[in-house]
Every structure is written in structure tokens, then in C-alpha cells.
Amino acid sequence: MKFVSIITKSFKEQIRNYWVLLLTLSMGPFFLFIYDLMTESSPQQYKICVVNTDRGITVEDSFVNYGSDFQFFFKQKGNSMAAVTFSVCTAAGKEQGIEMVRNNKADILIIIDRLFSQTIEKKLANDHTNLPQVEFIGDLTSQKYLISAVWINEMINEYISKVTGSKRVVEVKETPLGESGAIGEFDLLVPGILIISLIMLMFTASIAFVSEVENKTIIRLKLSKLPPLAYFGGISVVQLLIGVLAVLLTLFTAILLGFGYSGSLPVMVLVAVLTSMSMIAFSLVVAAITKSANEVLVVGCFPMFLFMFFSGAAFPMHSNTLFTIAGYPITFQGLMSPSHAISALNKTLIMNMKVSDIMPEIISIIVLSIIYFGVGALIFKRRHLRTL
Amino acid sequence: MVKTNVPQIVAIQIHNLTRRFGELTAVNGLSLEIYRNEIFGLLGPNGAGKTTTINMICGLLPVSEGKITFPGNVRKDRRSFIGYCPQENIYYPKLTCLEQLLFMGQMYDQPFQLLKKRAFKLLHLLGLDDKTNVMAGNLSGGMKRRLNICLALIHDPEIVILDEPEAGLDPQSRMLVRDYIRSCKKEKTVILTTHNMDEADRITDRLAIIDHGKLLLLDTPQNLKKTMGEGDILEMLTEDVSESVLNDFIEKMKLFPIQLTRNGNILLFTHTDMINRVVEIKKLAEESGLKIEELKFRENTLEDVFIHLTGRSLRQ
């Protein structure tokens, strides 16, 4: 009865504090709009700029330019690849090509050496003193550069084998998992933003818990025989509803903006519910160490930035493995439940994996939620709910 | 322990109650008994230890030493039979008056239908009928105070503790609250803290004057006023003069059988035949070089009692 009363009261207060609610619910969709404006929603495409300086060579009265031939081969091959899409353009010279890479008009610049044809011809005549030269220029920290370089290297080897008739040592084949081969940059960001919409729940939940302390109504609750668990539980149920609503609104917005998920919606909702619970549990820790909504907004920023920028929600993160449990790596960022949630959503929505495949993530979220809740409830009870 | 002559059933027994906050002793060996169906007042200046005592009675603060017992009550958990209206207005700003009364009642496991009736009754008795469905945050200060009292009473407690119940109330609201507190006496034990002597004088059956956490005096307001002596009081307001002039006059007055209390530049003279002493006092004052600004007769008040006990005004 008390539990239900707390839910009803908390629900009414939350609805009447509609500005906070509106901001929490709109955060995810708003981020998606921003990201959609910033990124391309079409499948990932790698832009290659080619500068062919190959002088060519005259063989038996006919002029041959292997550089131009390679460009043709490259365009044909690029179009036939299922996993990776290339768009090829040419530049008049090295300077112009570098300028295109600097301006993000190309991900990589390939310069075909002026003696490219000559060295291939020598190779055909069994003269292996010089090798055909190709130079790659680009931002070595860029993921797009790295992927392009790997594939161009593979295609150059294939071309040289073809024209020289030499045997290829290895043939690389790429198979994309789930929808990963066909999705755009925007699609890659959606799981993270779904989790960001839940991270924002930390503020509404903390404020809901701490408002009783700020208004001093906690004194009345202490004087009534309200069990702390009914208090925590009642508020949590309302926040959980807000969390699920926030994530569904964000997903709906993502779909409207062209996000094509391949996994199961119920599994996604399960991950959202668990992550919401974990965020609510963490909110209890924030509420326990604060006394007012203002303090929540100041103190809460610290974990919010941690969760947003170091859990992989805003952009992919890598962390060293501290130890492994049953083969599942535990990293520093693994101490933050959103990192497991993002991993689970990536597996579900992008790689089309089943619930059984995300069990380690589910268990991690549950364990962390229990730890957060335990710590939060203990401190909150000691600081704000202590009676004789 | 201070005793009265009227035999009563003890509702709350406080023995050697002490509460320390670090170096500060807020309540220092307080011992008293509060009887069932009486309106008991705790009078004292700010920081006297009234609220600390109340918080210990309610169970919000642990005691450092001493004991609080409820002899007339068999229930173990005091929270079920105590209703507390704190000094500050504590309410849910985003809930209507009715919603929060129902909510608080449910926190005390009260049956919903009974609760609804009680809520409407309380709102009516405290003049909030037309504010039933108004959000508490939109009420005026006086209305919030009355809602605060309703919240303390929604679970129909046997002991009601009201911390400064008339603070911030307009005269009409004050009368309403006063009448309601008086009506509570039939069924409940009421403890109220105040530094408003008029409030204490008018509504309490017995009054404990405390300061620095110690009990100074405990009796009915009438008996307390009698401690100042029978007869009238002559209140003399003097112009600002040097301390030596005042002290010289006070020394001279010691030769007369008149009780004299000083509160700043106000001198209070108490005597059974004060009217015949006025000329004498006035003459002596003039001889001492004391300039009299105002001279008036009045009856004893609780403030006189307090000044007599502590040597300072309650409002300081």
C-alpha cells in the first residue's frame, strides 16, 4: 500500500515538474537530430583520391600505362565489393590530392609512381631489382584511412599478380557481422545515444530522491513508519517508466531518421530496462551524498561525463583488460554499467545477436546495479533516513 | 523534577534529558512530566533547546543522556502515536492539500475512507476548505502553516507536538489555530513550543520555561506570573543615561522593600501597594539624575517572569 502510494505521489510530482521531465525525454531525440545533421546516414563509404604520375612505357610499338590500367581495375573491383564501398576520384597532382585529404574530401591519397609501368615491365622480364612504387598519404589516426589502406593494398597485390602472372600468396575475404557491413556512421552512433538518453535519467532520479531531503518532507516520512525500501522502490518504478519511455522515444526518432536495426526489439527493451535500473541505482548514490537539486546538478555532472565519454556512449572507447571472468574481459570502463549496455545494444541492434550472446553484458549490468543500489541505499539511509 | 498539586495521568516522562552537539550542550539534564489531555508549553528564547527537546521526544534525535518514556502508551513505536508539526512549513509543493494529507495518512497505514473523511474535516477546521484541490506551493504563508498542522494530525495521533504553531500567522489564522489547539485538548496531549508569551499565556495549561537547555520553572501560567510577587508592576522607561547613574539609583532603591528588575533602560518595580510608592520612586529617580521617559502601571506578564529568571528579554 505504501509502495503504491509512493509510486502515485512520485508520478504526480514528476508529471507536474514537466520541464525536467521534458528535458530528460527530449535529450536522446535531440542528440540524434544533431548527430544526423553531422553525419552521413548512408552506408559507410571510403573516398579514395588517386594521382597517377606514371609515365607509361612503349612496348612493341604500343604505349602502355599500367597506372591508368590499375585505376580502371580499382574502380571495377571497388564497385563489386559487398562489404566495403569505395568512391574513387582523381587529382591533378600531389598538392591537390593532399588538399583534398586535408579538407575531408578524400580519406586516402594514392600516388602511383612515375616508373610504375616501367618496373612492371621489368618484372615481366624477370628483372626484380625494382618494385612498383605506390605511396599512401592520409591521417594515420583515422579509422577510414586504415580500412582504405588495407583494402587498397590488397587490390594492388591482386593487380600486380594479374598483370605479371605471378601467383598470389594469400586472398583476403571479408564477411560483415549482422548489419555492420551495410550501416552508416549515424547507425553506428545510435546504440550509444540510446544509452545517453538513459544516462540523463540520473538527474531526474537523483532529484526525485533528494527532493524529499530538500523540502524536508523526509522528516515526515521518517516519522511515519515508511520502510526505506518502499521509498526507494516507489520512486524507482516511476523513473524506470521514464527511462523506458526515453529510450523508446529515442529509438523511434532514430528509425524516423533512417536507422535500420536488425535485432530484436524486446531484447533492446530488456537492455534498456536493466540500464535504467542501473542508472536509478547510481542516482541513489548521487542523492545520498547531496542535499538539494542544485547539488545534484553540480555533483551529478562528474559521473555523467564519465558515463558519457568514458563508457563509449558518445564515441567508441578502448580500455585495457584488468582481468577476465569466464572469458569476458573486465576493463576499467567495465565498472560503468553503460559500457556493458552499449556493448549489448551493438551486439543486438547491429550484429543481430541473440539474448544468449549478450548474457555477460546482462549479468554485468545486474551486478553493477546491485552494487550501486547497495552503496546508495546504505549512504542515503545513514544520512537522510536515520531514526531511532 | 518540578511537581504540581494536580494529580494527572502521565503521558510523557522526561528524566535527566541531555543532548550534546560536540562541545555544545543543547539540552542539559531536563526532567519533567507531561500529562494526558493537557496543553503543555515549552517557552524559551531562540536556542534555548526547545526544538532539540521536541526532536528527541519525536525520535528524530538520539539522546546523549537520560530517558524519555510514554507510560500511558503500550505501543512500542512512538512514531505511531506522535504527530509532529515542525517549525518550518514542510509540505509537498506539487501536491494539492488533499493529496498530501491522503498521502501522509497512507504512510501511517490509515484506512483510505477514514482518511478521506479526516482530511476534509481537518481542512474545514483549519479554514482550508476552499483550498482542498490547490497545490500547496500556491498557498499563502499562513495557509501553509495551517496545512502543516493538518499534516501533523492526519493520522489522529494521541500526542501532538507543535513547534511554534502560530509563527507567521495573521491574527485571524492565529485565532483559528488557537481554537483548534484548545479543542484538541479533549482527546489529545498537546505540546507546543513558542517564544510568543501571549500565545503561551493564553492556551497552555502548564508551561516550562527553559533556557540554555535547562528547566528554569514549570507551572501554570497564572502561578508563574505569581512568582513575580503579588501586586502591580510599575514600568519605568528611562532616557539613555550613564550606567553609573542607573546603578546609583538601583543601589538607593535597595533600601526600600520593593522588588526591582532591570531590562536595559526599562526598570520594573513590583509591590503590593505600588500606587502609594510611585511618588517616592519618582522623587528618588530625579535625585539620582535619572530622566524618566514613560511611567506606567500594568499586571504581571510571562515576560516579566522570564526577565526576572534570566535577566534578559525573550526577544533578544
Side-chain angles (χ1 to χ4, degrees), chain A residues 1-2 5-6 9 12-13 16-17 212 215-217 219-226 387-388, chain B residues 59 61-62 77 79-80 84 88 90-95 99 103-104 106-109 148 151:
Chain A
M1 183 64 185
K2 285 182 183 179
S5 303
I6 292 277
K9 187 216 80 158
K12 282 178 187 168
E13 285 185 316
R16 288 167 192 176
N17 269 323
E212 298 276 357
N215 294 336
K216 297 192 177 166
T217 39
I219 294 175
R220 295 206 182 283
L221 297 180
K222 279 199 281 187
L223 288 172
S224 71
K225 289 176 285 181
L226 176 70
T387 46
L388 298 183
Chain B
L61 260 184
D77 194 343
R79 289 180 291 179
S80 58
Y84 176 47
E88 279 177 81
I90 294 176
Y91 56 89
Y92 293 97
K94 294 285 178 189
L95 293 186
E99 280 171 349
F103 170 71
M104 275 321 298
Q106 283 167 330
M107 292 300 103
Y108 285 94
D109 294 318
N148 217 28
L151 284 165

Side-chain angles (χ1 to χ4, degrees), chain B residues 153-173:
Chain B
L153 290 150
I154 190 65
H155 60 293
D156 196 23
E158 289 156 43
I159 298 169
V160 184
I161 299 175
L162 307 168
D163 199 353
E164 305 282 359
E166 292 187 7
L169 288 181
D170 57 66
Q172 282 92 341
S173 301

Side-chain angles (χ1 to χ4, degrees), chain B residues 44-49 197 209-214 216 261-264 268 302-316:
Chain B
N46 294 332
M197 278 148 294
I209 299 178
I210 59 170
D211 195 18
H212 299 301
K214 282 186 173 173
L216 301 179
T261 313
R262 183 187 162 192
N263 180 22
L268 303 173
L302 286 173
E303 188 166 0
D304 300 328
V305 179
F306 192 85
I307 293 163
H308 177 63
L309 288 171
T310 64
R312 63 181 166 134
S313 167
L314 270 174
R315 291 181 187 86
Q316 281 179 332

Side-chain angles (χ1 to χ4, degrees), chain A residues 50-82:
Chain A
V50 184
V51 174
N52 184 16
T53 61
D54 185 15
R55 284 179 183 171
I57 190 167
T58 308
V59 182
E60 293 170 2
D61 295 335
S62 61
F63 182 75
V64 182
N65 188 311
Y66 287 108
S68 301
D69 190 40
F70 170 67
Q71 264 181 280
F72 180 71
F73 170 83
F74 184 64
K75 277 184 185 172
Q76 268 192 327
K77 192 76 189 168
N79 290 339
S80 66
M81 284 173 74

